[in-house]
Amino acid sequence: MEGRVGATAAAGMGPTSPGAAMGELLADECYVEFLREDFDVKTYTSQSIHQAVIAEQLAKLAQGISQLDKELHLQVVARHEDLLAQATGIESLEGVLQMMQTRIGALQSTVDRIRSKIVDPYNKIVSRTAQLAKLQAACDLLRRIIRILYLSKRLQGQLQGGSREITKAAQSLNELGESAWLFGICINNF
């Protein structure tokens, strides 16, 4: 195949260097318009139809496509070893990538297992801590209720004792008022 390319170049049918055909193709007026950044297919087609040179343009485009195919073939032949090496490198990279994806999957499953071993107990601890705080608050309220009941029972006994226990009754009434006030605060915080 390389002998055929060399013979074609020697016979004057093709360029002597792989980039020369591309240079000639890109320098042709017919193809310059395709390289412009503001190239618009509709405008180009409209102008071609208006100028009634469609057959010429199509022939020129077909010739350009043929030249591009030849140039592409020359480039592939000239660099086939590099292309094969790159293809082999891509295959080995795909193998490495697949191995990394497998390892990432294993790592993800390990992280999920660790998360379940840590997160679930943590959530239980948080829930139980909240329950314990509520139980402690309820126990504190019950202690205060018991204290209020005790003070009210003692006050009733002191009030039945008459005037000799009036000072003790006043003191018990004061304690009962303080306990009721603290009980009200605890209820609001509960």
Side-chain angles (χ1 to χ4, degrees):
M1 188 172 284
E2 286 180 20
R4 194 172 74 166
V5 171
T8 304
M13 300 174 90
T16 56
S17 68
M22 285 301 293
E24 289 176 16
L25 190 64
L26 295 176
D28 192 336
E29 285 181 29
C30 182
Y31 305 116
V32 170
E33 190 162 337
F34 292 105
L35 299 175
R36 290 189 2 225
E37 292 207 19
D38 61 342
F39 175 75
D40 183 29
V41 175
K42 291 180 182 179
T43 306
Y44 179 79
T45 308
S46 172
Q47 287 175 355
S48 295
I49 292 171
H50 183 63
Q51 294 172 357
V53 288
I54 297 172
E56 287 180 30
Q57 297 258 341
L58 287 176
K60 193 80 167 173
L61 288 174
Q63 181 184 4
I65 290 171
S66 175
Q67 283 181 328
L68 285 174
D69 284 342
K70 288 177 186 175
E71 181 64 26
L72 182 61
H73 178 71
L74 288 173
Q75 293 291 331
V76 168
V77 168
R79 294 179 175 84
H80 76 278
E81 290 181 16
D82 291 339
L83 293 171
L84 288 175
Q86 288 180 4
T88 304
I90 288 172
E91 286 178 8
S92 65
L93 284 176
E94 285 176 347
V96 169
L97 179 62
Q98 189 172 14
M99 180 182 65
M100 292 303 291
Q101 286 176 337
T102 303
R103 289 184 179 176
I104 287 170
L107 181 62
Q108 185 64 42
S109 77
T110 302
V111 166
D112 290 342
R113 274 196 321 268
I114 290 172
R115 182 179 295 138
S116 69
K117 287 182 178 180
I118 292 173
V119 171
D120 291 343
Y122 172 77
N123 288 338
K124 286 180 183 177
I125 288 172
V126 167
S127 173
R128 298 287 160 81
T129 303
Q131 285 178 339
L132 180 61
K134 289 179 181 179
L135 283 172
Q136 287 175 338
C139 286
D140 188 40
L141 286 174
L142 287 173
R143 277 194 300 273
R144 292 184 188 281
I145 290 171
I146 291 170
R147 176 73 178 157
I148 290 172
L149 289 174
Y150 168 75
L151 289 173
S152 65
K153 193 179 271 188
R154 188 173 78 181
L155 179 62
Q156 285 177 353
Q158 290 168 344
L159 288 175
Q160 290 175 355
S163 60
R164 59 187 165 144
E165 297 211 9
I166 197 81
T167 55
K168 289 181 182 178
Q171 187 178 1
S172 294
L173 187 58
N174 184 34
E175 286 180 41
L176 186 60
E178 287 178 11
S179 293
W181 180 74
L182 289 173
F183 179 75
I185 291 175
C186 288
I187 286 288
N188 289 336
N189 292 336
F190 192 71

